[in-house]
Amino acid sequence: MTDQPTGLSAALLRQANELGFECQGQAPAARLEVNPEVRSMCAADRCQSYGKNWMCPPACGDLDEFAAGLARHADCVIVQTVAELEDEFDVEGMMEAEALHKRRFAALARFARETAQSQGLPAPLPLAAGTCTLCPTCTCPDEPCRNPESALVSMEAAGLLVSDACEAAHIPYYHGKGTMAYTSCVLV
């Protein structure tokens, strides 16, 4: 692997810049590891989505599937939306930044899928920040996912420790006091 991204990774980094992500980087997918302890944090259900969202555990697939997905991809492009908050209680600012990040990342994931398909490349694996919020209410577990082509599993649900992924890509995980960063990645 070269130090400079090539092919789809380079195209994704350019597109991420155009979409306005404040921070982006890339790392060899082999530098990422599926960590069962991260998935255990999902089971604690702090976000109240465990077992209630198709893109969250246990419905999103087991860790062996994600480890196999990592092994099938050579590169990982990591993107962040970084927001300046008024103070540590600026919930509105956090929610606005999260919504912005999800819009940006949905566009990047769509670009990745369309570009890979048009070039005859293997399908990329986009992993988002936090639980899928594409639908106002998830149909899980009563009915199938309404938007399986657009719904995104989170990095954490895939067992990735976000801080380790950022370190592998040589981008900061923490951007300083008064900031909030939302991080997602695309495996290509």
mmCIF file of all heavy atoms in Angstrom, residues 136-164:
data_model
loop_
_atom_site.group_PDB
_atom_site.id
_atom_site.type_symbol
_atom_site.label_atom_id
_atom_site.label_comp_id
_atom_site.label_asym_id
_atom_site.label_seq_id
_atom_site.Cartn_x
_atom_site.Cartn_y
_atom_site.Cartn_z
ATOM 1 N N PRO A 136 -38.266 7.550 10.733
ATOM 2 C CA PRO A 136 -38.666 8.105 12.028
ATOM 3 C C PRO A 136 -38.824 7.033 13.109
ATOM 4 O O PRO A 136 -38.477 7.244 14.258
ATOM 5 C CB PRO A 136 -39.997 8.796 11.748
ATOM 6 C CG PRO A 136 -40.035 8.999 10.273
ATOM 7 C CD PRO A 136 -39.185 7.925 9.662
ATOM 8 N N THR A 137 -39.337 5.858 12.701
ATOM 9 C CA THR A 137 -39.475 4.718 13.604
ATOM 10 C C THR A 137 -39.030 3.479 12.855
ATOM 11 O O THR A 137 -39.539 3.202 11.757
ATOM 12 C CB THR A 137 -40.946 4.542 14.051
ATOM 13 O OG1 THR A 137 -41.394 5.758 14.623
ATOM 14 C CG2 THR A 137 -41.075 3.429 15.058
ATOM 15 N N CYS A 138 -38.129 2.728 13.432
ATOM 16 C CA CYS A 138 -37.652 1.497 12.796
ATOM 17 C C CYS A 138 -38.716 0.408 12.936
ATOM 18 O O CYS A 138 -39.396 0.319 13.961
ATOM 19 C CB CYS A 138 -36.344 1.045 13.443
ATOM 20 S SG CYS A 138 -35.574 -0.350 12.568
ATOM 21 N N THR A 139 -38.832 -0.427 11.922
ATOM 22 C CA THR A 139 -39.806 -1.518 11.924
ATOM 23 C C THR A 139 -39.330 -2.731 12.712
ATOM 24 O O THR A 139 -40.090 -3.687 12.882
ATOM 25 C CB THR A 139 -40.110 -1.961 10.479
ATOM 26 O OG1 THR A 139 -38.890 -2.363 9.860
ATOM 27 C CG2 THR A 139 -40.769 -0.846 9.688
ATOM 28 N N CYS A 140 -38.105 -2.722 13.170
ATOM 29 C CA CYS A 140 -37.516 -3.848 13.892
ATOM 30 C C CYS A 140 -38.262 -4.103 15.193
ATOM 31 O O CYS A 140 -38.537 -3.155 15.931
ATOM 32 C CB CYS A 140 -36.044 -3.564 14.185
ATOM 33 S SG CYS A 140 -35.157 -4.920 14.969
ATOM 34 N N PRO A 141 -38.557 -5.295 15.527
ATOM 35 C CA PRO A 141 -38.335 -6.574 14.831
ATOM 36 C C PRO A 141 -39.564 -7.072 14.083
ATOM 37 O O PRO A 141 -39.571 -8.192 13.592
ATOM 38 C CB PRO A 141 -37.995 -7.516 15.980
ATOM 39 C CG PRO A 141 -38.882 -7.049 17.094
ATOM 40 C CD PRO A 141 -38.957 -5.531 16.920
ATOM 41 N N ASP A 142 -40.595 -6.262 13.981
ATOM 42 C CA ASP A 142 -41.886 -6.735 13.473
ATOM 43 C C ASP A 142 -41.987 -6.850 11.950
ATOM 44 O O ASP A 142 -42.694 -7.712 11.443
ATOM 45 C CB ASP A 142 -43.013 -5.831 13.987
ATOM 46 C CG ASP A 142 -43.057 -5.787 15.501
ATOM 47 O OD1 ASP A 142 -42.850 -6.848 16.128
ATOM 48 O OD2 ASP A 142 -43.268 -4.691 16.057
ATOM 49 N N GLU A 143 -41.322 -5.964 11.221
ATOM 50 C CA GLU A 143 -41.382 -5.972 9.764
ATOM 51 C C GLU A 143 -39.975 -5.763 9.215
ATOM 52 O O GLU A 143 -39.110 -5.220 9.909
ATOM 53 C CB GLU A 143 -42.284 -4.847 9.266
ATOM 54 C CG GLU A 143 -43.734 -4.973 9.689
ATOM 55 C CD GLU A 143 -44.561 -3.762 9.254
ATOM 56 O OE1 GLU A 143 -44.216 -3.145 8.232
ATOM 57 O OE2 GLU A 143 -45.532 -3.448 9.960
ATOM 58 N N PRO A 144 -39.741 -6.140 7.951
ATOM 59 C CA PRO A 144 -38.411 -5.931 7.364
ATOM 60 C C PRO A 144 -38.044 -4.448 7.285
ATOM 61 O O PRO A 144 -38.923 -3.575 7.298
ATOM 62 C CB PRO A 144 -38.538 -6.522 5.956
ATOM 63 C CG PRO A 144 -39.752 -7.390 5.990
ATOM 64 C CD PRO A 144 -40.655 -6.828 7.043
ATOM 65 N N CYS A 145 -36.752 -4.176 7.165
ATOM 66 C CA CYS A 145 -36.248 -2.817 6.999
ATOM 67 C C CYS A 145 -36.881 -2.194 5.754
ATOM 68 O O CYS A 145 -36.943 -2.830 4.698
ATOM 69 C CB CYS A 145 -34.726 -2.847 6.868
ATOM 70 S SG CYS A 145 -33.961 -1.238 6.570
ATOM 71 N N ARG A 146 -37.341 -0.959 5.870
ATOM 72 C CA ARG A 146 -37.969 -0.255 4.739
ATOM 73 C C ARG A 146 -36.951 0.176 3.688
ATOM 74 O O ARG A 146 -37.294 0.351 2.524
ATOM 75 C CB ARG A 146 -38.679 1.007 5.248
ATOM 76 C CG ARG A 146 -39.881 0.763 6.090
ATOM 77 C CD ARG A 146 -40.493 2.138 6.477
ATOM 78 N NE ARG A 146 -41.399 2.002 7.581
ATOM 79 C CZ ARG A 146 -41.127 2.367 8.841
ATOM 80 N NH1 ARG A 146 -39.978 2.916 9.158
ATOM 81 N NH2 ARG A 146 -42.021 2.200 9.779
ATOM 82 N N ASN A 147 -35.727 0.434 4.099
ATOM 83 C CA ASN A 147 -34.708 0.999 3.198
ATOM 84 C C ASN A 147 -33.376 0.262 3.312
ATOM 85 O O ASN A 147 -32.354 0.870 3.640
ATOM 86 C CB ASN A 147 -34.501 2.481 3.525
ATOM 87 C CG ASN A 147 -35.757 3.288 3.317
ATOM 88 O OD1 ASN A 147 -36.187 3.469 2.194
ATOM 89 N ND2 ASN A 147 -36.345 3.767 4.405
ATOM 90 N N PRO A 148 -33.343 -1.034 3.011
ATOM 91 C CA PRO A 148 -32.098 -1.779 3.215
ATOM 92 C C PRO A 148 -30.927 -1.300 2.348
ATOM 93 O O PRO A 148 -29.772 -1.470 2.725
ATOM 94 C CB PRO A 148 -32.483 -3.228 2.890
ATOM 95 C CG PRO A 148 -33.713 -3.120 2.048
ATOM 96 C CD PRO A 148 -34.415 -1.861 2.485
ATOM 97 N N GLU A 149 -31.220 -0.655 1.207
ATOM 98 C CA GLU A 149 -30.137 -0.168 0.340
ATOM 99 C C GLU A 149 -29.493 1.099 0.896
ATOM 100 O O GLU A 149 -28.357 1.426 0.545
ATOM 101 C CB GLU A 149 -30.650 0.115 -1.073
ATOM 102 C CG GLU A 149 -31.184 -1.094 -1.806
ATOM 103 C CD GLU A 149 -32.646 -1.384 -1.450
ATOM 104 O OE1 GLU A 149 -33.393 -0.453 -1.102
ATOM 105 O OE2 GLU A 149 -33.037 -2.569 -1.513
ATOM 106 N N SER A 150 -30.218 1.841 1.738
ATOM 107 C CA SER A 150 -29.721 3.114 2.260
ATOM 108 C C SER A 150 -29.365 3.074 3.735
ATOM 109 O O SER A 150 -28.616 3.920 4.217
ATOM 110 C CB SER A 150 -30.779 4.204 2.071
ATOM 111 O OG SER A 150 -31.188 4.281 0.737
ATOM 112 N N ALA A 151 -29.922 2.120 4.471
ATOM 113 C CA ALA A 151 -29.679 2.039 5.916
ATOM 114 C C ALA A 151 -28.223 1.684 6.174
ATOM 115 O O ALA A 151 -27.597 0.959 5.405
ATOM 116 C CB ALA A 151 -30.605 1.002 6.533
ATOM 117 N N LEU A 152 -27.671 2.237 7.256
ATOM 118 C CA LEU A 152 -26.250 2.056 7.552
ATOM 119 C C LEU A 152 -26.024 1.553 8.970
ATOM 120 O O LEU A 152 -26.582 2.082 9.927
ATOM 121 C CB LEU A 152 -25.515 3.390 7.379
ATOM 122 C CG LEU A 152 -25.539 3.995 5.977
ATOM 123 C CD1 LEU A 152 -25.057 5.430 6.000
ATOM 124 C CD2 LEU A 152 -24.720 3.155 5.024
ATOM 125 N N VAL A 153 -25.172 0.557 9.079
ATOM 126 C CA VAL A 153 -24.710 0.043 10.369
ATOM 127 C C VAL A 153 -23.640 0.996 10.882
ATOM 128 O O VAL A 153 -22.888 1.596 10.105
ATOM 129 C CB VAL A 153 -24.132 -1.386 10.192
ATOM 130 C CG1 VAL A 153 -23.465 -1.883 11.458
ATOM 131 C CG2 VAL A 153 -25.220 -2.345 9.734
ATOM 132 N N SER A 154 -23.535 1.145 12.189
ATOM 133 C CA SER A 154 -22.516 2.026 12.758
ATOM 134 C C SER A 154 -21.167 1.319 12.893
ATOM 135 O O SER A 154 -21.099 0.082 12.901
ATOM 136 C CB SER A 154 -22.950 2.540 14.135
ATOM 137 O OG SER A 154 -22.848 1.512 15.104
ATOM 138 N N MET A 155 -20.134 2.111 13.008
ATOM 139 C CA MET A 155 -18.799 1.568 13.240
ATOM 140 C C MET A 155 -18.789 0.723 14.511
ATOM 141 O O MET A 155 -18.192 -0.353 14.547
ATOM 142 C CB MET A 155 -17.773 2.702 13.345
ATOM 143 C CG MET A 155 -17.541 3.447 12.045
ATOM 144 S SD MET A 155 -16.407 4.857 12.214
ATOM 145 C CE MET A 155 -14.831 4.000 12.439
ATOM 146 N N GLU A 156 -19.438 1.211 15.565
ATOM 147 C CA GLU A 156 -19.449 0.510 16.832
ATOM 148 C C GLU A 156 -20.203 -0.811 16.735
ATOM 149 O O GLU A 156 -19.771 -1.830 17.281
ATOM 150 C CB GLU A 156 -20.082 1.377 17.931
ATOM 151 C CG GLU A 156 -19.295 2.624 18.253
ATOM 152 C CD GLU A 156 -19.682 3.838 17.400
ATOM 153 O OE1 GLU A 156 -20.363 3.672 16.348
ATOM 154 O OE2 GLU A 156 -19.309 4.955 17.786
ATOM 155 N N ALA A 157 -21.338 -0.826 16.024
ATOM 156 C CA ALA A 157 -22.096 -2.069 15.854
ATOM 157 C C ALA A 157 -21.271 -3.106 15.110
ATOM 158 O O ALA A 157 -21.428 -4.307 15.325
ATOM 159 C CB ALA A 157 -23.407 -1.801 15.128
ATOM 160 N N ALA A 158 -20.360 -2.648 14.241
ATOM 161 C CA ALA A 158 -19.455 -3.543 13.524
ATOM 162 C C ALA A 158 -18.261 -3.955 14.387
ATOM 163 O O ALA A 158 -17.406 -4.713 13.936
ATOM 164 C CB ALA A 158 -18.962 -2.869 12.245
ATOM 165 N N GLY A 159 -18.207 -3.446 15.608
ATOM 166 C CA GLY A 159 -17.135 -3.815 16.531
ATOM 167 C C GLY A 159 -15.884 -2.974 16.413
ATOM 168 O O GLY A 159 -14.843 -3.333 16.958
ATOM 169 N N LEU A 160 -15.954 -1.842 15.718
ATOM 170 C CA LEU A 160 -14.775 -0.987 15.569
ATOM 171 C C LEU A 160 -14.721 0.065 16.671
ATOM 172 O O LEU A 160 -15.723 0.729 16.947
ATOM 173 C CB LEU A 160 -14.784 -0.294 14.208
ATOM 174 C CG LEU A 160 -14.741 -1.196 12.983
ATOM 175 C CD1 LEU A 160 -14.733 -0.358 11.712
ATOM 176 C CD2 LEU A 160 -13.547 -2.127 13.018
ATOM 177 N N LEU A 161 -13.574 0.223 17.268
ATOM 178 C CA LEU A 161 -13.354 1.289 18.236
ATOM 179 C C LEU A 161 -12.965 2.527 17.439
ATOM 180 O O LEU A 161 -11.929 2.552 16.763
ATOM 181 C CB LEU A 161 -12.254 0.895 19.226
ATOM 182 C CG LEU A 161 -12.068 1.775 20.436
ATOM 183 C CD1 LEU A 161 -13.342 1.853 21.273
ATOM 184 C CD2 LEU A 161 -10.928 1.238 21.303
ATOM 185 N N VAL A 162 -13.801 3.540 17.478
ATOM 186 C CA VAL A 162 -13.630 4.725 16.631
ATOM 187 C C VAL A 162 -12.279 5.387 16.874
ATOM 188 O O VAL A 162 -11.607 5.794 15.924
ATOM 189 C CB VAL A 162 -14.804 5.713 16.831
ATOM 190 C CG1 VAL A 162 -14.579 6.996 16.041
ATOM 191 C CG2 VAL A 162 -16.111 5.070 16.417
ATOM 192 N N SER A 163 -11.858 5.481 18.118
ATOM 193 C CA SER A 163 -10.569 6.123 18.401
ATOM 194 C C SER A 163 -9.411 5.369 17.746
ATOM 195 O O SER A 163 -8.472 5.991 17.243
ATOM 196 C CB SER A 163 -10.348 6.249 19.910
ATOM 197 O OG SER A 163 -10.368 4.978 20.532
ATOM 198 N N ASP A 164 -9.472 4.045 17.696
ATOM 199 C CA ASP A 164 -8.429 3.265 17.029
ATOM 200 C C ASP A 164 -8.444 3.505 15.518
ATOM 201 O O ASP A 164 -7.390 3.594 14.886
ATOM 202 C CB ASP A 164 -8.610 1.772 17.307
ATOM 203 C CG ASP A 164 -8.236 1.375 18.725
ATOM 204 O OD1 ASP A 164 -7.710 2.219 19.492
ATOM 205 O OD2 ASP A 164 -8.483 0.198 19.080
#
